[in-house]
Amino acid sequence: ASRPQFNKAPPPQQRQQQQQVVDESEYVDRSQCSVCNRYFATDVLDRHEDFCQRQKAKARKVFDSRKARMEGTESEGYIRVVAKNEKDEEKKRAASLAAQSKWKQQSLEFRNTMRAARKVDAVLKAGGTAKDLPPPTYSDNSHLTPCPHCGRRFAAETAERHIPKCAMTVNKPKPPPKLRR
């Protein structure tokens, strides 16, 4: 049995030379479209420019790949339901923006606390006393659940775990200091 003969590809140098010759000869009698800036043969350019201007004038319809995928399937009836879910996604995006603003708020509170600590250090190094300092500012922890036994504040899930344990604790820690207002 004889093996079939295949044409071997030319060596890389020869291929590059062939491509360069083809590329240079392609652009000899071509002109640029004034609308889309693409190059066309001069005999085709007039016809293309007419078509190109008409296409540019039309408003292009947005392609909905989800709808195109679902067309002709059993799930075609659920297309409207998916559109309603997009509103839920918008709500989630709005919630994530609110979470970012919460993060920003916490960041600003932390920065203010650090500034206040630097001021305290500066007053104490200068020979002042704690009475010379303004009253400290406290961050807003109203969203945290307070423990009825020790007075500390926790996130909802953490409070559920902590409160039963704290009720059974014999040596309870001192509650945090009350706010001076």
Side-chain angles (χ1 to χ4, degrees):
S2 65
R3 299 171 82 186
Q5 295 291 326
F6 294 107
N7 292 337
K8 292 185 178 180
Q13 292 173 343
Q14 199 176 19
R15 262 187 275 153
Q16 287 176 353
Q17 290 172 354
Q18 288 173 351
Q19 287 174 353
Q20 287 174 354
V21 170
V22 170
D23 291 343
E24 291 170 4
S25 66
E26 279 183 16
Y27 292 105
V28 171
D29 58 340
R30 295 193 176 233
S31 302
Q32 189 175 13
C33 172
S34 61
V35 180
C36 66
N37 297 327
R38 292 164 47 201
Y39 286 90
F40 292 91
T42 51
D43 57 332
V44 179
L45 183 64
D46 293 332
R47 189 174 48 171
H48 166 77
E49 281 184 337
D50 292 339
F51 177 78
C52 199
Q53 286 177 344
R54 278 185 273 138
Q55 287 298 325
K56 190 172 184 179
K58 290 182 184 177
R60 193 164 178 182
K61 192 169 82 171
V62 177
F63 180 72
D64 185 4
S65 63
R66 183 185 302 146
K67 186 176 180 182
R69 238 187 0 256
M70 291 178 134
E71 257 178 32
T73 64
E74 294 174 359
S75 57
E76 186 174 9
Y78 297 103
I79 292 175
R80 289 190 185 104
V81 174
V82 171
K84 289 179 185 175
N85 287 341
E86 288 176 357
K87 292 178 184 176
D88 293 345
E89 290 176 5
E90 288 177 16
K91 289 179 184 176
K92 287 179 184 176
R93 283 189 209 121
S96 70
L97 290 175
Q100 285 177 347
S101 63
K102 178 183 174 186
W103 175 88
K104 185 75 169 178
Q105 181 183 8
Q106 289 175 344
S107 175
L108 291 173
E109 286 178 6
F110 177 71
R111 290 177 185 185
N112 290 335
T113 303
M114 295 304 294
R115 283 188 197 110
R118 280 190 224 112
K119 287 179 184 176
V120 169
D121 286 344
V123 168
L124 294 177
K125 283 183 182 178
T129 62
K131 292 180 181 178
D132 299 337
L133 297 170
T137 57
Y138 294 99
S139 60
D140 179 34
N141 292 331
S142 60
H143 64 284
L144 299 177
T145 308
C147 173
H149 308 290
C150 65
R152 292 163 56 200
R153 295 178 168 269
F154 299 94
E157 292 179 12
T158 311
E160 288 176 13
R161 291 192 312 262
H162 169 81
I163 293 173
K165 290 180 183 177
C166 190
M168 302 301 291
T169 304
V170 176
N171 296 324
K172 294 184 180 161
K174 292 180 182 177
K178 298 290 181 191
L179 295 176
R180 290 183 276 156
R181 289 186 183 203

